[in-house]
Amino acid sequence: MVDYVVYGRGCFDQLDEIIAPHRKNEAPMIFLLDHFFEHNKVMKSRIPLRDNDMLIVADVSHEPKTSYVDDIAEELKTKYGFVSGIIGIGGGSTMDLAKAVSIMMTNPGNAQDYQGWDLVTHPAVYKAGVPTLSGTGAEVSRTTVLTGPTRKLGMNSDFTPFDQIVLDPALTQNAPKNQRFYTGMDCFIHCVESLEGTYINEFSRSYGEKAQQLCEEVFLHKSDWTDESDEQLMMASYAGGMSIAYSQVGVAHAVSYGLGYLLGTKHGIGNCIVFNHLEEFYPTGVATFHKMVEKNNIHIPVGITGGLTDDQFDTMINVSLGMAPLWENALGKDWQSIMTRERLRALYKRL
Amino acid sequence: MVDYVVYGRGCFDQLDEIIAPHRKNEAPMIFLLDHFFEHNKVMKSRIPLRDNDMLIVADVSHEPKTSYVDDIAEELKTKYGFVSGIIGIGGGSTMDLAKAVSIMMTNPGNAQDYQGWDLVTHPAVYKAGVPTLSGTGAEVSRTTVLTGPTRKLGMNSDFTPFDQIVLDPALTQNAPKNQRFYTGMDCFIHCVESLEGTYINEFSRSYGEKAQQLCEEVFLHKSDWTDESDEQLMMASYAGGMSIAYSQVGVAHAVSYGLGYLLGTKHGIGNCIVFNHLEEFYPTGVATFHKMVEKNNIHIPVGITGGLTDDQFDTMINVSLGMAPLWENALGKDWQSIMTRERLRALYKRL
């Protein structure tokens, strides 16, 4: 689990004080800032840079690739040898990038070597996360989703979670409306997949139910977006992340990974595109999702797989069926006889 | 926060594997077992004793005293010099005892020196908690409540939380009905005090609402006690503990501490005795509490302060009014003009 959690409106301004005890002699703190804030002078002025600290604007136009993680880690090792810590400030991709870079500062080889479960052997350098977008749960998760040369898979390990997270709901208030919705739906979908899955237990259920209730409060029952909406969605993201940490996601994520791998479809919108068509698996959840889409006047793309070749469908099917734990959670131990390649192909064609 | 949380029915049997990586050379693991299990051969046989490990039956007939903590730590230091870790198995008092002993294995002086906020300076030895009773939240809290020579106050510090907790709802299934109720109500009261307090924020609210809902489910809406009840109450305890970790408790705890200090009234039942009379502060919560008492056919003692002297009332009032953060959370910054000594005396007389 994350060791330290600070929560509160305005707590971002405590970041300097929070990270101070983790500064080691001359070694710098490295701030990875989501490129969304590249030209935001106010945000940049609030980052507590000291001495030889470095601010890196993280290019997250695409979700993090293992090669990008390696490039940043290599640059830092060449320049400084050792760093005090990595502080990620941004959306889910920036969170994942910060976690992965901090692991690669102390582990040999390349990031792709650690895609999988419990392959990381050395503790990472100190790492802190400051989310500026709510929903992914990346701030609490035990993984960091990366696209490598052969697969899209996280570094799942005990050394992956942040040492510290700083949850300041004020940081999310200027998120673009569509992006906020897609990422919020990532959380909602986490909850449905966790609560309807075969891996469910009372720990995950408590978190999942609370997160789902908060998502519905924010996207369905409120007429306007208020400060409270930012606060509730930030807690929904946290609780949704905790819920899947102790269970697993399901069909939407398994199918969405295929889209992400082949087409580069980003995680939030990809989940929405898939979940939109999953009535047969999650009837209640999908019905609620459709209401939220309508109420918030959001456009969910359709027809994105039109024109793809059979080989391309096969690639997506291979990536998706490779996510065995997700399918088993969703459909039970007998999932392979339920989700055949042909049924999955038909599903991809409907997207 | 607690670093590692394992949850699941039967997970107690993973304890050997869980603590194995924390064994240091020849240094033993020390198991502190609640005296409730003193004659329970099955429970004792499941404790993964190896080599020179030691099992100590913890006498928690009274809530832990600083002198008891010192005695155990001294005994262990004399016998072993260094231990690999302290594993507490039992109710809230055993949890607190295990946390306190693990701190005193590495910090000089006496336990009473550390009653307060952030006075502990050295990390404790490895410590793990296995609750066998749900409600106190001691398994996740940043404190360990101790009665010292001059006060009842916890060691609140970043070094106090467990490194690992093992949440196995099967361990709570044989708890005595009355004890289970009193301790469950400790959780319910945490939620009311947190949710109705001035320190409330969305983080605490999310946890507090979920914990309160689970308590009501278990004690009000279910007709029988089932496995699910144990599972839900264990999660309620966890979530209730998280809720107060990010806010504060209130009137019931402040008043109950006075009873505990003077009369040795145990925490769970003490909270019930006090909360029973707090309609003026928490009308909805107390009404629900009364319904739960009735439905579960529980006797809440009354008249326990009859016959006490004025000096004794003064002692309780002094202890209680010393808990400034609790009163401020409950009544606001102006609490001293609201809760006068005379009003508090009248309240104590009603108990």
Side-chain angles (χ1 to χ4, degrees):
Chain A
M1 310 240 296
V2 175
D3 291 344
Y4 290 87
V5 179
V6 173
Y7 173 89
R9 183 164 290 274
C11 71
F12 181 53
D13 289 327
Q14 297 171 23
L15 186 59
D16 188 32
E17 182 190 343
I18 289 168
I19 64 178
H22 303 282
R23 292 182 176 277
K24 297 203 171 106
N25 302 322
E26 307 293 297
M29 281 288 177
I30 309 302
F31 297 86
L32 283 182
L33 180 67
D34 196 312
H35 71 173
F36 176 76
F37 296 103
E38 185 170 7
H39 304 294
N40 185 326
K41 285 184 188 160
V42 175
M43 177 54 122
K44 284 172 127 173
S45 73
R46 293 175 71 194
I47 294 174
L49 288 164
R50 292 184 171 270
D51 305 329
N52 59 342
D53 286 356
M54 185 176 180
L55 175 65
I56 298 176
V57 174
D59 178 2
V60 286
S61 356
H62 305 284
E63 292 183 350
K65 292 187 164 54
T66 51
S67 56
Y68 190 39
V69 173
D70 290 332
D71 289 348
I72 297 177
E74 202 50 47
E75 181 192 346
L76 294 175
K77 284 187 218 169
T78 306
K79 186 160 182 185
Y80 300 107
F82 185 76
V83 303
S84 287
I86 309 284
I87 319 294
I89 304 169
S93 290
T94 307
M95 295 294 101
D96 278 352
L97 191 64
K99 291 197 275 185
V101 170
S102 71
I103 287 170
M104 293 314 298
M105 292 305 293
T106 52
N107 285 275
N110 299 308
Q112 69 182 81
D113 305 336
Y114 301 100
Q115 286 182 283
W117 278 267
D118 299 309
L119 303 172
V120 180
T121 49
H122 297 91
V125 297
Y126 174 78
K127 53 187 175 305
V130 186
T132 62
L133 191 63
S134 294
T136 65
E139 65 277 19
V140 291
S141 81
R142 190 179 173 273
T143 190
T144 158
V145 181
L146 299 174
T147 305
T150 60
R151 55 195 164 173
K152 184 173 176 187
L153 185 61
M155 293 172 164
N156 296 268
S157 86
D158 281 353
F159 301 118
T160 305
F162 282 116
D163 298 292
Q164 168 88 54
I165 57 176
V166 176
L167 303 178
D168 181 351
L171 296 180
T172 66
Q173 71 190 5
N174 295 318
K177 186 186 163 197
N178 272 4
Q179 183 64 59
R180 183 168 73 193
F181 183 85
Y182 298 142
T183 313
M185 286 305 105
D186 188 15
C187 176
F188 178 78
I189 295 166
H190 286 158
C191 298
V192 174
E193 292 181 316
S194 167
L195 293 169
E196 305 280 321
T198 61
Y199 291 5
I200 192 65
N201 54 69
E202 196 56 41
F203 192 94
S204 288
R205 188 189 306 280
S206 301
Y207 277 110
E209 286 178 352
K210 179 41 94 176
Q212 184 168 351
Q213 181 212 324
L214 288 166
C215 286
E216 293 182 13
E217 178 72 21
V218 162
F219 290 111
L220 206 53
H221 303 311
K222 281 204 151 121
S223 48
D224 295 308
W225 195 271
T226 64
D227 282 357
E228 192 185 54
S229 310
D230 284 313
E231 291 160 13
Q232 291 179 324
L233 194 56
M234 186 160 264
M235 278 312 297
S237 178
Y238 176 91
M242 289 295 291
S243 182
I244 47 167
Y246 282 75
S247 61
Q248 185 50 278
V249 287
V251 179
H253 278 75
V255 177
S256 169
Y257 270 119
L259 292 181
Y261 185 82
L262 183 76
L263 305 174
T265 314
K266 294 188 110 183
H267 188 73
I269 193 169
N271 280 345
C272 288
I273 290 168
V274 177
F275 198 67
N276 203 19
H277 295 274
L278 296 187
E279 306 86 357
E280 59 192 309
F281 301 103
Y282 306 114
T284 313
V286 173
T288 306
F289 171 77
H290 286 155
K291 279 188 212 155
M292 294 192 283
V293 169
E294 192 185 343
K295 176 162 192 325
N296 292 273
N297 197 21
I298 301 287
H299 171 67
I300 305 293
V302 289
I304 68 161
T305 58
L308 294 181
T309 65
D310 282 352
D311 278 358
Q312 287 177 309
F313 278 106
D314 279 328
T315 299
M316 293 193 292
I317 291 166
N318 292 342
V319 168
S320 180
L321 293 180
M323 316 298 286
L326 284 64
W327 289 109
E328 184 179 299
N329 176 46
L331 306 175
K333 293 209 178 292
D334 204 26
W335 65 269
Q336 282 168 306
S337 66
I338 300 169
M339 184 47 73
T340 59
R341 292 184 70 87
E342 284 322 299
R343 187 174 179 188
L344 183 52
R345 185 181 306 269
L347 173 54
Y348 272 121
K349 291 204 171 185
R350 282 205 297 281
L351 306 181
Chain B
M1 309 242 297
V2 176
D3 292 345
Y4 290 86
V5 180
V6 173
Y7 173 90
R9 184 165 289 275
C11 71
F12 181 53
D13 289 327
Q14 296 172 24
L15 186 59
D16 188 33
E17 182 190 343
I18 289 168
I19 64 178
H22 303 283
R23 292 183 177 275
K24 298 204 169 101
N25 303 320
E26 306 293 298
M29 281 288 177
I30 310 301
F31 297 86
L32 283 181
L33 179 67
D34 196 313
H35 69 173
F36 176 76
F37 297 103
E38 186 170 6
H39 304 293
N40 185 325
K41 285 184 187 159
V42 175
M43 176 55 121
K44 285 172 125 174
S45 73
R46 293 173 72 195
I47 295 174
L49 288 165
R50 292 183 172 270
D51 305 329
N52 59 342
D53 286 356
M54 184 176 180
L55 175 66
I56 298 177
V57 174
D59 178 1
V60 287
S61 353
H62 304 283
E63 292 184 349
K65 291 188 164 54
T66 52
S67 57
Y68 190 39
V69 173
D70 291 332
D71 289 349
I72 297 176
E74 202 50 48
E75 181 192 346
L76 294 175
K77 283 187 219 168
T78 306
K79 186 160 183 185
Y80 300 108
F82 186 76
V83 304
S84 287
I86 308 284
I87 319 294
I89 304 169
S93 290
T94 307
M95 296 292 102
D96 278 352
L97 191 64
K99 292 197 274 186
V101 170
S102 71
I103 287 171
M104 293 315 299
M105 292 305 294
T106 53
N107 285 274
N110 299 310
Q112 69 182 82
D113 306 337
Y114 301 100
Q115 285 183 284
W117 277 266
D118 299 309
L119 303 172
V120 180
T121 49
H122 297 91
V125 297
Y126 174 78
K127 53 186 174 308
V130 186
T132 62
L133 190 64
S134 295
T136 67
E139 65 276 21
V140 291
S141 81
R142 191 180 173 271
T143 191
T144 157
V145 181
L146 298 175
T147 304
T150 60
R151 54 195 166 174
K152 184 173 177 186
L153 185 61
M155 294 172 163
N156 296 268
S157 86
D158 280 354
F159 302 118
T160 306
F162 282 115
D163 298 292
Q164 168 88 53
I165 56 176
V166 176
L167 302 178
D168 180 351
L171 296 180
T172 67
Q173 71 190 5
N174 295 319
K177 186 185 162 198
N178 272 4
Q179 183 64 59
R180 183 168 75 193
F181 183 85
Y182 298 143
T183 312
M185 285 305 104
D186 188 16
C187 176
F188 178 77
I189 295 167
H190 285 158
C191 298
V192 174
E193 292 183 316
S194 167
L195 293 168
E196 304 280 319
T198 61
Y199 291 5
I200 191 67
N201 54 69
E202 195 56 40
F203 191 94
S204 288
R205 189 188 307 280
S206 301
Y207 277 110
E209 286 178 351
K210 179 40 94 177
Q212 185 168 350
Q213 180 213 323
L214 288 167
C215 286
E216 294 181 13
E217 178 73 20
V218 162
F219 289 112
L220 206 54
H221 303 311
K222 282 201 150 124
S223 48
D224 295 309
W225 194 271
T226 64
D227 282 356
E228 192 186 53
S229 310
D230 284 314
E231 291 161 12
Q232 290 179 324
L233 194 56
M234 186 160 263
M235 277 312 297
S237 178
Y238 176 91
M242 290 295 290
S243 181
I244 47 167
Y246 282 75
S247 61
Q248 184 51 277
V249 287
V251 180
H253 278 75
V255 177
S256 168
Y257 270 119
L259 293 181
Y261 185 81
L262 183 76
L263 304 175
T265 315
K266 294 189 112 183
H267 188 73
I269 192 169
N271 280 345
C272 287
I273 290 169
V274 177
F275 198 67
N276 203 20
H277 294 275
L278 295 187
E279 305 87 356
E280 59 192 310
F281 301 104
Y282 306 114
T284 313
V286 173
T288 306
F289 172 77
H290 286 155
K291 278 187 213 155
M292 293 192 285
V293 169
E294 192 185 343
K295 175 161 194 324
N296 292 274
N297 197 23
I298 300 288
H299 171 67
I300 306 292
V302 289
I304 68 161
T305 59
L308 294 182
T309 66
D310 281 353
D311 278 0
Q312 288 178 309
F313 278 107
D314 278 329
T315 299
M316 292 194 293
I317 292 166
N318 291 342
V319 168
S320 181
L321 293 180
M323 315 297 286
L326 283 65
W327 289 109
E328 184 179 301
N329 176 45
L331 306 174
K333 293 209 179 292
D334 205 24
W335 66 270
Q336 283 167 307
S337 67
I338 300 169
M339 185 45 75
T340 59
R341 292 184 71 87
E342 285 320 300
R343 187 174 180 189
L344 183 52
R345 186 182 304 270
L347 174 53
Y348 271 121
K349 291 204 170 187
R350 282 206 297 280
L351 306 181

